[in-house]
Amino acid sequence: MTDPAIGFDPVTGINPSVKRALNDILGGTAASVLTVTFGLSYSLLIFAGPLSPYLSYGITATFVSSAVLAAVIALGSSLPFAIAAPDSSTAAVTGILAASLVERVVAADPSASLLSPILITLGLSTVLTGVALCGLGLTRMGRAIRYVPYPVVGGFLGATGLLIVMGAIRVITDHPVQLATLTHLANGTALSELGAACAMALVLYLTWHRSRSPFGLPIILIGGMLTAHFAFWATGVSLDEARALGWTFQPPPPATFMLPWHADGLIHYPWLAVPDLLGNLVAVVFVTASSTLFNTTGIEVAVHREANLERELNVTGTANIVTGALGGYAGCISTSRSVLNFSSGGRGRLSGLTVAALSLLMLAIAPELLGLIPKFVLGGLLLYLGADQLHKWIIESRKRLSKLEYLSLIAIIAIIVVWGFVPGILIGVIIGCATFAFSAARVESIKYSFDGSEYRSSLDRSRDDQDVLLAHGGKIQGLNLQSYLFFGSANRLYQHVKQLLQERPECRYLLFDFKLVTGVDSSAAYSFAQIKRSAHDLGVELILVHLSAAAEKVLRSSDFVGEGVTIIPELDRALEWCENELISQHQELAQEEASLRDWFTGILGSEDDADALIQRCQRIEVGADEVIVRAGDPADSMLFILDGRVGIMIPADDDHTTRVRSLGRYTTIGEMGLVSNTPRSATIQAEVDSVLYVLNTHQFDAIKQEDPALSHKLLTYFVSVMAERLTFANRTIAVLRR
């Protein structure tokens, strides 16, 4: 405990402020070891091939970037212990940008100077990256990058890992990985160098990868250097001979700092090549922004501290603008170095400032140090970094992704490596969206289904009404919907409804509960329009429940909401409405059946015979102007008209028909044909909505065999009806003869 009177810890005798400062310096020093080591490898990765003569400028750019990023982010980050520097992913895309510029400059003029264009390109790309990051932070649009599909991000970062590996091979052998250079990579020296680098990467994996000790990495690298120099000594190879054979780096001149912004360089800059570089510029911005967000989130999880993402984007953007102005390249907050600093006791902003100071110190030491380091040592470090990233996104991600998502991730990596970052991003987003749509379409849009006999409203009803609902509840079918409804899931819903209506032909009310639906798109509205048409053809009423205003607007725009569709706010009230309709219809049917029984009793003189005839008849409903039978059809039934009116139509001139007779309720038609089995002599058409009971020939024959008394009564009725019609016809003829 600190003694407030004396201002220091009585146990250690150290002032608490001094103790915190010492912890920050210790943590910053540990993180600096990684910054320096990685910085040397990033310099070699970017300034490789035709740019290798300018490696001293690359070393300067690297450690200036490390110093500025570490200092600015340490002073402004919402995480005081944060350590920032160029990252492996940002270095990889920066290397691709530099290589693309060199390729175009050399193609236009092989003798052109590369130093000024490359420094201007690095500075411009970093400044633009900083401006973009600040824009994302100020507009709070940075979080939008988290909506990029995970396989797209994984494919992007996996591709950077592969590019780091390819860059490492170039650093080790001085030849890029291309078909034209395979012969150079296959010679004995190159294979020996690659074998030594792979061995170095394996040692790093078996030791430092598992321990992550802050000083483990430099110890391993120094051990690799000593082993190489011992091998040179044992085989009698001098240091100059080793350099001539390509085993070690040529010692660059002392680090040279040069601002890229001078008039002559800007005038002679190949501005016409800028459009061709836009894709790689976008890649630098995308990787830096995504790395900033992902690394910040990783630090939050590791140390249980919450960061302000908008502030991190703004600070990182500012740091990159300053870095670009000084000729450096893009970087961001580092998860490994920040966590290492935190684990070493660093909690304050002095840690980042320590990293900045040691990075500037390396400007005087790094060139001489690099001349002693064998290529396979730093090349092996790059191989390890690239392979570690590839393992994370190609091997480990397989456990988290579905087969389709994983295949899309591999495809995006291949597209980026072959065609570049912009095609990879665009095609990757398309693949990601298509994969999401396919996966989302497989998610069941129906949480559960029910019918009116098993799930009812909360309204207490009489026993008679309950019996009606128990017997006829299947006419109410309900579907509880869920998730977001779009063209894929809505089409599956349409197919399900079609099958449901086929399996449940008695259905008359179909309820859709939208309570768990998060949204409906316009393509889903088309599927609902198909559902409406299918339901209308079968006489099914659609009821929508818990429909949000946004979903209702989408469905109304497709003319789905209208006749045949009812919107009710709550499911309980919707069920009550359907039940009331069913009960009302049942009561009407009961009244109709009583009316039919009274009519048949009057015809046959017996209620028992009336009930027997009702059981033999089939009830049908016909709409106005609907043709019931046509002239020339077989006379295989007679019609009892319980309600409505039908007309007897015969052909007239000009393809028209003329009504010769009209029959109202409690009349019959077709008796003669039922007895004589002759074809219909006229067309029977409903004039208004009508309810008919049909007695076909099969049922009539069954009555004649099973109930002769009822058959005799029916024949007697037929004769009386025909006698009445004959009397009416005679009176009509008599009037016409006057």
Side-chain angles (χ1 to χ4, degrees):
M1 180 180 294
T2 302
D3 188 340
I6 57 179
F8 60 86
D9 190 329
V11 177
T12 61
I14 301 176
N15 185 289
S17 299
V18 174
K19 183 178 181 180
R20 285 195 297 270
L22 290 175
N23 287 335
D24 290 344
I25 293 173
L26 177 62
T29 303
S32 296
V33 173
L34 298 184
T35 296
V36 169
T37 309
F38 290 152
L40 287 173
S41 63
Y42 298 158
S43 302
L44 295 169
L45 183 65
I46 297 172
F47 284 79
L51 293 177
S52 56
Y54 310 106
L55 183 57
S56 61
Y57 293 91
I59 293 174
T60 301
T62 295
F63 289 110
V64 166
S65 301
S66 299
V68 174
L69 289 165
V72 174
I73 292 180
L75 293 174
S77 174
S78 59
L79 300 170
F81 54 88
I83 305 296
D87 189 75
S88 59
S89 297
T90 59
V93 291
T94 302
I96 296 298
L97 174 63
S100 299
L101 175 69
V102 169
E103 181 182 348
R104 285 159 179 79
V105 171
V106 172
D109 183 5
S111 63
S113 173
L114 298 176
L115 178 60
S116 181
I118 200 66
L119 292 180
I120 291 174
T121 301
L122 293 181
L124 280 176
S125 66
T126 308
V127 170
L128 291 175
T129 299
V131 172
L133 294 180
C134 288
L136 292 174
L138 293 173
T139 60
R140 298 182 178 271
M141 292 178 60
R143 297 176 185 267
I145 199 168
R146 296 192 174 184
Y147 293 98
V148 176
Y150 184 79
V152 176
V153 176
F156 203 92
L157 297 179
T160 61
L162 183 56
L163 293 172
I164 291 173
V165 171
M166 295 170 65
I169 296 174
R170 185 174 185 176
V171 169
I172 296 164
T173 65
D174 291 325
H175 295 290
V177 181
Q178 298 174 351
L179 290 176
T181 61
L182 290 181
T183 55
H184 298 286
L185 298 176
N187 63 53
T189 302
L191 290 176
S192 299
E193 292 171 342
L194 289 173
C198 290
M200 190 69 193
L202 181 61
V203 170
L204 286 169
Y205 174 74
L206 295 176
T207 55
W208 185 69
H209 178 81
R210 299 183 179 183
S211 66
R212 293 291 181 178
S213 170
F215 300 105
L217 182 59
I219 291 173
I220 295 170
L221 297 181
I222 292 172
M225 290 173 54
L226 295 177
T227 302
H229 284 283
F230 177 78
F232 296 154
W233 174 80
T235 56
V237 177
S238 67
L239 186 58
D240 291 336
E241 291 174 334
R243 288 170 182 164
L245 292 172
W247 279 95
T248 61
F249 296 103
Q250 295 293 333
T256 306
F257 176 73
M258 183 180 75
L259 287 175
W261 319 113
H262 52 87
D264 186 62
L266 293 172
I267 292 173
H268 294 93
Y269 183 82
W271 295 105
L272 295 178
V274 171
D276 296 330
L277 301 176
L278 286 178
N280 294 312
L281 286 172
V282 171
V284 173
V285 175
F286 181 85
V287 168
T288 308
S290 59
S291 297
T292 299
L293 294 175
F294 294 147
N295 291 355
T296 302
T297 303
I299 295 171
E300 288 178 329
V301 173
V303 303
H304 307 291
R305 297 285 184 91
E306 184 176 355
N308 185 320
L309 291 181
E310 282 71 30
R311 181 175 174 181
E312 295 303 319
L313 286 170
N314 289 327
V315 171
T316 305
T318 302
N320 277 279
I321 291 174
V322 176
T323 300
L326 296 175
Y329 53 90
C332 61
I333 189 171
S334 169
T335 303
S336 59
R337 279 162 268 191
S338 298
V339 172
L340 176 59
N341 175 43
F342 189 87
S343 302
S344 302
R347 296 293 187 275
R349 304 187 186 277
L350 186 58
S351 296
L353 297 177
T354 301
V355 173
L358 293 177
S359 297
L360 291 176
L361 180 63
M362 284 303 298
L363 293 176
I365 302 173
E368 296 180 2
L369 178 64
L370 189 62
L372 300 174
I373 299 177
K375 288 184 178 180
F376 75 85
V377 174
L378 290 181
L381 175 59
L382 288 173
L383 282 178
Y384 162 75
L385 294 174
D388 184 54
Q389 191 142 314
L390 282 173
H391 180 270
K392 177 181 179 181
W393 294 107
I394 294 182
I395 305 301
E396 293 183 359
S397 64
R398 179 65 187 92
K399 304 173 185 177
R400 301 189 295 269
L401 301 176
S402 67
K403 183 179 294 185
L404 185 61
E405 290 175 327
Y406 181 73
L407 291 176
S408 67
L409 183 149
I410 299 298
I412 292 167
I413 292 176
I415 292 169
I416 290 175
V417 172
V418 175
W419 289 320
F421 282 99
V422 170
I425 293 174
L426 296 178
I427 298 176
V429 170
I430 293 172
I431 292 176
C433 293
T435 303
F436 169 77
F438 182 78
S439 301
R442 298 172 64 184
V443 175
E444 186 58 60
S445 59
I446 301 174
K447 185 174 180 63
Y448 61 84
S449 58
F450 58 89
D451 65 45
S453 63
E454 59 187 2
Y455 188 70
R456 299 179 187 171
S457 70
S458 60
L459 178 63
D460 286 338
R461 299 186 182 275
S462 66
R463 186 173 298 276
D464 291 340
D465 288 349
Q466 293 180 28
D467 292 340
V468 170
L469 295 178
L470 183 63
H472 303 283
K475 293 183 179 180
I476 303 173
Q477 296 292 323
L479 298 175
N480 184 275
L481 307 181
Q482 63 180 355
S483 75
Y484 186 84
L485 301 180
F486 67 109
F487 60 90
S489 56
N491 182 66
R492 291 188 66 195
L493 175 63
Y494 167 58
Q495 299 298 332
H496 179 89
V497 170
K498 280 178 57 178
Q499 183 177 357
L500 172 67
L501 295 180
Q502 289 175 356
E503 295 175 352
R504 299 293 184 93
E506 74 276 11
C507 176
R508 288 298 171 266
Y509 302 97
L510 182 58
L511 282 78
F512 292 102
D513 188 352
F514 286 78
K515 187 174 184 178
L516 302 179
V517 173
T518 56
V520 179
D521 73 355
S522 57
S523 57
Y526 173 73
S527 295
F528 275 99
Q530 291 178 302
I531 291 174
K532 181 179 179 180
R533 285 194 293 271
S534 298
H536 180 268
D537 293 340
L538 298 173
V540 177
E541 177 90 6
L542 301 180
I543 298 94
L544 311 182
V545 182
H546 290 126
L547 188 65
S548 66
E552 181 178 348
K553 181 179 180 181
V554 172
L555 294 179
R556 283 190 183 278
S557 66
S558 64
D559 294 329
F560 170 73
V561 178
E563 184 180 357
V565 177
T566 303
I567 299 177
I568 300 178
E570 299 176 358
L571 178 60
D572 188 65
R573 294 186 179 277
L575 287 171
E576 180 184 337
W577 182 83
C578 294
E579 292 166 358
N580 291 339
E581 291 291 310
L582 273 184
I583 294 171
S584 175
Q585 292 171 10
H586 177 74
Q587 292 173 346
E588 291 176 0
L589 287 174
Q591 295 173 357
E592 179 183 298
E593 187 173 338
S595 177
L596 182 66
R597 182 180 293 106
D598 292 341
W599 178 26
F600 282 2
T601 300
I603 293 173
L604 304 173
S606 167
E607 289 188 357
D608 293 338
D609 289 337
D611 290 336
L613 180 58
I614 290 173
Q615 293 177 1
R616 299 286 184 177
C617 292
Q618 179 186 1
R619 182 184 183 277
I620 63 171
E621 293 184 12
V622 292
D625 299 325
E626 182 178 344
V627 174
I628 303 169
V629 297
R630 295 186 181 276
D633 289 348
D636 56 0
S637 63
M638 68 167 292
L639 307 174
F640 294 91
I641 305 170
L642 180 63
D643 191 26
R645 187 174 71 250
V646 302
I648 310 301
M649 319 297 290
I650 60 173
D653 296 336
D654 300 328
D655 296 328
H656 288 85
T657 57
T658 300
R659 188 183 77 174
V660 297
R661 190 177 182 86
S662 183
L663 298 98
R665 60 198 307 257
Y666 299 140
T667 59
T668 58
I669 187 68
E671 312 87 349
M672 193 65 187
L674 187 66
V675 175
S676 63
N677 293 321
T678 57
R680 303 285 187 186
S681 59
T683 295
I684 303 176
Q685 181 177 359
E687 297 181 350
V688 296
D689 293 344
S690 305
V691 177
L692 312 175
Y693 279 79
V694 182
L695 179 66
N696 59 44
T697 53
H698 299 294
Q699 293 297 334
F700 183 62
D701 291 340
I703 290 174
K704 288 191 291 185
Q705 293 178 4
E706 299 172 10
D707 195 345
L710 177 58
S711 173
H712 182 266
K713 290 181 179 181
L714 282 174
L715 289 174
T716 301
Y717 171 72
F718 296 163
V719 170
S720 65
V721 169
M722 286 185 283
E724 290 176 3
R725 290 175 183 166
L726 181 59
T727 301
F728 176 80
N730 289 335
R731 290 175 180 171
T732 302
I733 293 171
V735 170
L736 293 175
R737 284 180 176 178
R738 292 177 182 173

